[in-house]
Amino acid sequence: MFAKCEAKAARIAEQAARDPEACGDATFIEVYAAQLPKLMAAALESHEKALKGK
């Protein structure tokens, strides 16, 4: 799941880097940080389901 988010952020950062006034690294960090709470919630939910299934 984290790899999917990183790939999306990398695509957006690449697009932003084509603009001379854009900072691709900053865009990557912003997009990844925005997705992180959602990713962590999904990871915790999956972890809890796995623990209940044992």
Side-chain angles (χ1 to χ4, degrees):
M1 185 176 285
F2 288 110
K4 184 177 180 180
C5 180
E6 288 175 359
K8 180 179 178 181
R11 283 192 307 271
I12 293 171
E14 182 181 337
Q15 291 171 358
R18 292 182 185 150
D19 181 0
E21 296 179 18
C23 178
D25 289 338
T27 302
F28 178 87
I29 292 167
E30 288 173 11
V31 171
Y32 189 75
Q35 297 286 331
L36 198 54
K38 179 179 167 186
L39 291 171
M40 289 304 296
L44 289 172
E45 182 180 335
S46 295
H47 179 71
E48 289 176 11
K49 284 181 182 178
L51 290 177
K52 288 180 183 177
K54 286 186 174 183

